[in-house]
């Protein structure tokens, strides 16, 4: 990665480097020295922006949240049908299938590791906040399809759990075919679970013959 010059550029470079490293080797194995090396920033400068690895990980999660909200907003703009938006979520892992197979979901795998710090740990709570972005957005799509509040939340949780579980299995078993096949199954489940957005067909009005 080219060296960054301006302070904002250096901070962004550190967050980008840490994002990749946390995905590839996890929080515990990643050091600030690793991040500095990948970002081409002197290690001493890292502490100007992030005093601890935990602070840097928090910044990574915030960046993930912002990117995720931006992605969801683009799907909202591109598709009028909420069901089409949800299909984009199901198919999204296929866009980065090689990295999912090798390292898992960049969000789910990180959150799973951070949870082991303890449920009350700030980073564990931040990880839960990240996954909640998925559920909240999916919830809004099911609500737009006509589901009530309780049903939409349950369906959103089921959907996110299915997609995340599929990526976990594909990564563990190192199987691209499994990833594709299971996501097709999730999409078929979605088609059955989500109410139809088509308006009901109007019943024909009987025509009375004039006598």
């Amino acid at each position: 990665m080219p060296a960054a010059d301006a302070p904002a550029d250096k901070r962004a470079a550190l967050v980008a480097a840490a994002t990749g490293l946390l995905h590839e080797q996890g929080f515990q194995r990643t050091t600030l020295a690793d991040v500095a090396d990948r970002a081409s920033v002197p290690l001493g400068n890292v502490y100007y922006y992030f005093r601890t690895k935990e602070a840097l990980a928090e910044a990574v999660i915030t960046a993930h949240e912002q990117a995720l909200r931006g992605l969801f907003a683009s799907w909202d703009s591109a598709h009028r049908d909420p069901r089409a938006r949800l299909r984009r979520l199901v198919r999204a892992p296929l866009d980065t299938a090689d990295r999912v197979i090798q390292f898992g979901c960049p969000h789910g795998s990180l959150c799973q590791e951070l949870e082991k710090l303890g449920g009350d740990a700030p980073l564990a709570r931040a990880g839960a906040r990240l996954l909640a972005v998925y559920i909240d957005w999916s919830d809004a799509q099911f609500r737009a399809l006509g589901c009530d509040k309780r049903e939409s939340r349950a369906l959103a949780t089921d959907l996110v759990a299915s997609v995340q579980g599929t990526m976990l299995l594909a990564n563990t078993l190192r199987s691209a075919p499994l990833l594709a096949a299971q996501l097709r199954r999730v999409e078929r489940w979605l088609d059955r679970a989500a109410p139809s957005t088509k308006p009901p067909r109007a019943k024909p009005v009987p025509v009375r013959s004039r006598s």
Side-chain angles (χ1 to χ4, degrees):
M1 179 180 294
D5 295 323
D9 291 341
K10 283 186 179 180
R11 189 184 189 282
L14 290 168
V15 172
T19 298
L21 286 166
L22 293 181
H23 185 204
E24 294 163 15
Q25 59 189 40
F27 175 75
Q28 294 295 350
R29 289 178 55 201
T30 298
T31 67
L32 290 180
D34 293 333
V35 176
D37 182 63
R38 178 168 292 194
S40 299
V41 173
L43 178 57
N45 288 9
V46 176
Y47 294 98
Y48 175 80
Y49 301 96
F50 303 102
R51 293 187 178 277
T52 64
K53 186 170 72 170
E54 287 75 13
L56 181 52
E58 179 77 44
V60 168
I61 293 172
T62 298
H64 277 316
E65 283 187 77
Q66 292 172 347
L68 198 54
R69 293 183 192 281
L71 179 63
F72 289 161
S74 72
W75 293 349
D76 290 343
S77 298
H79 303 285
R80 295 182 61 185
D81 183 0
R83 190 195 304 269
R85 300 170 190 164
L86 290 169
R87 288 196 189 100
R88 291 293 297 270
L89 176 63
V90 174
R91 297 171 184 173
L94 298 174
D95 296 336
T96 55
D98 289 345
R99 287 185 66 79
V100 169
I101 299 305
Q102 189 172 4
F103 303 115
C105 173
H107 302 154
S109 60
L110 177 59
C111 294
Q112 186 177 28
E113 183 180 7
L114 296 179
E115 179 59 28
K116 295 177 183 177
L117 299 175
D120 293 331
L123 282 179
R125 293 198 297 270
R129 188 180 70 228
L130 175 59
L131 288 185
V133 175
Y134 280 96
I135 296 174
D136 290 345
W137 178 81
S138 300
D139 186 358
Q141 307 314 309
F142 283 113
R143 289 290 295 276
L145 286 168
C147 297
D148 62 35
K149 185 175 181 179
R150 186 172 182 178
E151 182 185 19
S152 66
R153 196 67 180 179
L155 289 171
T157 303
D158 286 345
L159 178 61
V160 173
S162 296
V163 174
Q164 286 292 327
T166 294
M167 287 189 280
L168 174 62
L169 278 175
N171 169 237
T172 302
L173 300 177
R174 292 291 195 270
S175 175
L178 183 149
L179 178 67
Q182 288 301 117
L183 289 177
R184 285 195 296 269
R185 291 175 64 88
V186 174
E187 192 166 348
R188 288 196 294 270
W189 169 86
L190 174 63
D191 289 339
R192 294 193 302 269
S196 174
T197 56
K198 295 180 180 179
R201 182 179 298 177
K203 295 181 179 179
V205 178
V207 179
R208 295 181 180 179
S209 59
R210 295 180 180 178
S211 54

